[in-house]
Amino acid sequence: MVKFLVLGCLLALALPTLAEVGWWKTAQLYQIYPRSYKDSDGDGVGDLNGITEQLPYLKEIGITATWLSPIFTSPMADFGYDVADLKNIDPIFGTMEDFEKLVARAKELDIKIILDFVPNHTSDECDWFIRSAAGEEEYKDFYVWHTGKVVNGIRQPPTNWISVFRGQMWTWNEQRQAYYLHQFHAKQPDLNYRNPQVVEAMKDVLRFWLRKGAYGFRIDAVPHVFEVSADADGNWPDEPRNEGVDDPEDYSYLQHIYTTNQPETIELVYAFRDVIEEMDRELGGDDRILLTEAYSPLEVLMQYYGNGTHLGSQIPFNFELLANINYYSDAYHYSELIHNWLDNMPEGQTANWVFGNHDQSRIGTRLGADRIDSVNIIKSILPGIDITYQGEELGMTNVFISWEDTVDPQACQSNEEEFERLTRDPVRTPFQWSDEQNAGFSNASSTWLPVSSDYKLVNVKRERGIALSHLNIFKQLRTLRDEPTLKQGDTTVTAIGPNVLVIKRSLAGQKSYIAVININDDVETVDLDSAFTSISTQLQYVVVNDKSVRRKNDLTFANSVLLLPKEAVVLSTV
Ligand code: GLC
Ligand code: MG
């Protein structure tokens, strides 16, 4: 008996728990835009079986977890961000059984599936909205309704608020004889979070998908969830003008002080996190996670992490670099933005690095195709979570889509002159698997968005065979991230002059790793010896890009590292 106990204790020591606590802290996350990943049934739109089929590819490139843009029942006014049935799969993507198969296969491969959760709004075709518009008691206050104000005998919306997708944030509903609020498209009515029943209903949606095997959620458009409280008469204030913007329909015409970043929003994320904790207890297994999408000021973002008494989102997306770096940014600017996050993060939290998603111009288009490897190096070497949007590992770039062929509502609601500034179609085109028909994405005669004309050069199959392709560099970086230094080491980030960014990771008793990136086209020689005290005199090349004349395993003196234009490398101590 005693023997048995001892053995049990030893086992317990060796296997403290089967659950992996904190697996996400050094994870490689990958965003799939399901409409454009892989089409298994030949209708020209990607689907769940397509994703399941390609999970081994995610394994090949070292992905730990993947978040899927919405796969739920939807009339697709905003390509799934208008959810009509929050607990069901849209037929275009497949069935609930297909989802279960995806989760099961992902589990076998040890890849976690994260879902997109859209709390701000539903579709106007959602049963809740239909009942709310009909004035049914239970759903009457599920959305934000107002009869408007009458000025000179003419009925007008209650405020001057403008929707993100242009024009009034209010649409008149005949049946209800009132305006409803929509921060986005008129087909995306905002839920009323001042109604506790809405909060409960949405928490139930979280529980539903967690029980189905999702490992967490990317929470959509968080800053928009609350509007300022109405006054005693049930009215809201107008938003002030943004000087310099003349188009009264454009979202940037107003300062969104009453419709974004209200303090209640943070509290709501804490409440959602409580559900995550509750479900971790109910379901066991590894930690479940929340990622929050907010383009908000840094001090707001930091509150999403938690506040000492409440836990929040483990991964408030870090858009510092995505939103602020442009083609002309110098190394000081990169360094400053990286420091902004690292130096302001609350104690004990984990950083994350995002350079792209389905709403933003592709890296190769925004920063130049010859900076793709640099970006992949930066985000893999920095501490914490590395997040990649599908296709960025291949160096996919924006695809021009004419006004006639544009389908993104954000652009379609504008006009032929403005749509290019607004359209997100160019970054949502089919994933490029091979040089076959439709880049191997689909065997349909046409795909929902056109395939990029560069697919014969930029595709998985071809890049697998090229030593220094973006894909192979990406894969090498993934392997490197298994090193203890990259998992737990200290971080130093600095610019050496305007052109060279240096990121050093070090851990006692382990090799140090130093990413050295020449952002521009001057030939540079940098002295890492004086940039970092006590670095070994010789350093070894661990990762090189196709601008380097050096090869992997070559040696260099630390006090004179030569960098060719746009060369980006990782060196290690020897
Ligand atoms: C988020 C999504 C975007 C969507 C919007 C409305 O910003 O990323 O694609 O259009 O929310 O749901
Ligand atoms: Mg399909």
Side-chain angles (χ1 to χ4, degrees):
M1 180 65 179
V2 171
K3 223 176 175 181
F4 189 66
L5 264 181
V6 169
L7 192 67
C9 284
L10 278 177
L11 266 177
L13 275 180
L15 300 167
T17 158
L18 286 176
E20 209 191 320
V21 176
W23 61 270
W24 47 271
K25 291 184 181 174
T26 53
Q28 280 84 236
L29 259 52
Y30 187 84
Q31 179 191 356
I32 289 183
Y33 192 72
R35 294 182 66 86
S36 286
Y37 203 52
K38 174 78 191 182
D39 174 22
S40 73
D41 60 0
D43 64 354
V45 183
D47 43 53
L48 293 180
N49 287 339
I51 298 173
T52 307
E53 194 184 297
Q54 293 298 349
L55 285 173
Y57 169 69
L58 295 190
K59 199 73 203 162
E60 172 189 336
I61 64 170
I63 300 305
T64 329
T66 176
W67 72 269
L68 314 181
S69 281
I71 53 174
F72 318 111
T73 316
S74 165
M76 303 285 163
D78 189 17
F79 298 107
Y81 284 95
D82 49 321
V83 185
D85 184 348
L86 290 92
K87 294 185 180 169
N88 232 321
I89 304 290
D90 194 276
I92 202 138
F93 297 122
T95 62
M96 194 59 90
E97 289 71 52
D98 295 335
F99 178 73
E100 284 157 6
K101 271 190 263 163
L102 167 66
V103 168
R105 180 74 182 122
K107 194 169 180 200
E108 281 169 17
L109 293 173
D110 197 19
I111 295 169
K112 293 188 165 64
I113 302 290
I114 313 287
L115 294 178
D116 212 316
F117 176 61
V118 187
N120 182 64
H121 45 264
T122 66
S123 163
D124 65 337
E125 295 179 36
C126 176
D127 193 48
W128 296 348
F129 186 76
I130 294 167
R131 288 163 172 238
S132 194
E136 269 188 39
E137 195 48 42
E138 200 187 337
Y139 294 95
K140 196 162 67 49
D141 295 326
F142 255 54
Y143 295 83
V144 184
W145 295 99
H146 197 283
T147 48
K149 52 188 182 196
V150 180
V151 181
N152 299 331
I154 300 170
R155 191 187 295 280
Q156 289 184 4
T159 63
N160 70 342
W161 301 346
I162 296 171
S163 105
V164 178
F165 291 167
R166 275 184 83 80
Q168 290 285 353
M169 206 186 264
W170 300 95
T171 290
W172 179 256
N173 180 276
E174 275 303 323
Q175 187 183 16
R176 175 87 178 226
Q177 287 292 299
Y179 291 96
Y180 64 88
L181 177 126
H182 53 90
Q183 292 230 16
F184 294 86
H185 199 280
K187 284 188 68 65
Q188 292 167 302
D190 275 45
L191 286 161
N192 172 20
Y193 277 87
R194 303 207 181 264
N195 176 354
Q197 279 168 288
V198 168
V199 179
E200 284 317 306
M202 292 306 272
K203 284 184 176 173
D204 244 19
V205 173
L206 297 178
R207 292 188 188 101
F208 177 84
W209 290 109
L210 293 172
R211 288 187 181 122
K212 286 249 170 247
Y215 255 93
F217 303 91
R218 173 262 187 191
I219 313 184
D220 180 73
V222 187
H224 301 272
V225 168
F226 278 91
E227 295 75 40
V228 71
S229 290
D231 65 17
D233 301 325
N235 295 316
W236 293 278
D238 280 349
E239 286 186 331
R241 278 277 316 266
N242 235 342
E243 294 313 322
V245 181
D246 299 326
D247 178 356
E249 303 270 288
D250 195 283
Y251 188 57
S252 59
Y253 187 72
L254 299 177
Q255 298 174 38
H256 308 290
I257 57 172
Y258 299 128
T259 54
T260 59
N261 296 321
Q262 303 303 303
E264 294 90 337
T265 310
I266 308 278
E267 301 293 327
L268 182 68
V269 170
Y270 297 168
F272 288 153
R273 176 64 186 270
D274 288 344
V275 175
I276 296 289
E277 296 296 305
E278 168 202 323
M279 295 308 285
D280 273 348
R281 288 191 296 272
E282 179 186 310
L283 300 169
D286 302 346
D287 293 348
R288 287 158 187 81
I289 57 172
L290 289 181
L291 300 80
T292 35
E293 186 217 18
Y295 294 86
S296 299
L298 207 59
E299 64 274 15
V300 175
L301 291 176
M302 293 304 159
Q303 296 175 45
Y304 280 109
Y305 271 123
N307 65 359
T309 25
H310 289 101
L311 300 172
S313 151
Q314 291 100 324
I315 310 180
F317 280 141
N318 172 2
F319 295 134
E320 279 296 286
L321 289 143
L322 179 148
N324 298 305
I325 287 291
N326 64 38
Y327 188 85
Y328 303 99
S329 301
D330 63 16
Y332 297 115
H333 199 196
Y334 278 79
S335 170
E336 183 192 324
L337 292 166
I338 293 169
H339 276 283
N340 277 354
W341 197 271
L342 291 177
D343 302 348
N344 287 297
M345 209 169 45
E347 186 73 29
Q349 299 292 352
T350 305
N352 70 84
W353 309 97
V354 191
F355 272 86
N357 60 43
H358 65 296
D359 295 328
Q360 305 292 336
S361 188
R362 292 250 183 214
I363 295 164
T365 304
R366 202 164 0 113
L367 303 179
D370 45 10
R371 293 203 182 102
I372 290 167
D373 300 321
S374 308
V375 166
N376 286 334
I377 291 177
I378 294 170
K379 65 203 213 17
S380 336
I381 291 291
L382 285 169
I385 302 141
D386 174 13
I387 304 175
T388 303
Y389 174 51
Q390 69 178 41
E392 295 294 6
E393 75 278 22
L394 303 175
M396 281 177 66
T397 46
N398 288 9
V399 177
F400 174 78
I401 294 166
S402 68
W403 168 243
E404 288 71 36
D405 292 338
T406 293
V407 294
D408 176 13
Q410 177 162 280
C412 290
Q413 304 228 129
S414 75
N415 52 59
E416 202 167 345
E417 279 66 55
E418 297 226 58
F419 84 99
E420 277 195 79
R421 175 173 64 86
L422 299 165
T423 183
R424 300 168 295 179
D425 292 338
V427 307
R428 297 176 175 181
T429 60
F431 189 81
Q432 293 159 214
W433 293 102
S434 70
D435 56 1
E436 289 150 43
Q437 181 199 0
N438 295 322
F441 160 71
S442 168
N443 55 23
S445 54
S446 74
T447 54
W448 80 283
L449 281 176
V451 173
S452 173
S453 59
D454 69 3
Y455 77 94
K456 295 217 164 159
L457 290 177
V458 179
N459 66 61
V460 173
K461 189 169 152 226
R462 180 168 182 270
E463 291 194 28
R464 275 186 186 133
I466 299 173
L468 293 180
S469 65
H470 301 305
L471 180 65
N472 278 329
I473 292 176
F474 186 93
K475 287 204 241 174
Q476 287 178 43
L477 291 164
R478 289 303 159 281
T479 314
L480 202 58
R481 280 174 62 86
D482 292 336
E483 293 295 318
T485 309
L486 291 194
K487 282 196 183 285
Q488 312 144 37
D490 291 338
T491 309
T492 318
V493 181
T494 185
I496 304 183
N499 294 333
V500 181
L501 177 71
V502 188
I503 303 168
K504 182 182 174 209
R505 303 291 312 278
S506 52
L507 184 67
Q510 301 282 336
K511 279 186 183 175
S512 295
Y513 289 89
I514 308 133
V516 191
I517 290 143
N518 186 359
I519 289 167
N520 288 315
D521 287 329
D522 299 323
V523 174
E524 298 280 342
T525 307
V526 292
D527 180 356
L528 296 177
D529 229 354
S530 55
F532 305 108
T533 41
S534 74
I535 204 166
S536 58
T537 45
Q538 279 210 317
L539 298 172
Q540 185 164 36
Y541 286 84
V542 181
V543 177
V544 298
N545 72 349
D546 66 358
K547 315 287 182 234
S548 314
V549 284
R550 302 305 197 125
R551 286 163 185 244
K552 199 173 163 174
N553 299 329
D554 279 0
L555 296 173
T556 176
F557 286 109
N559 63 8
S560 61
V561 179
L562 175 76
L563 291 164
L564 294 179
K566 305 270 172 53
E567 179 170 353
V569 298
V570 181
L571 306 167
S572 76
T573 51
V574 280

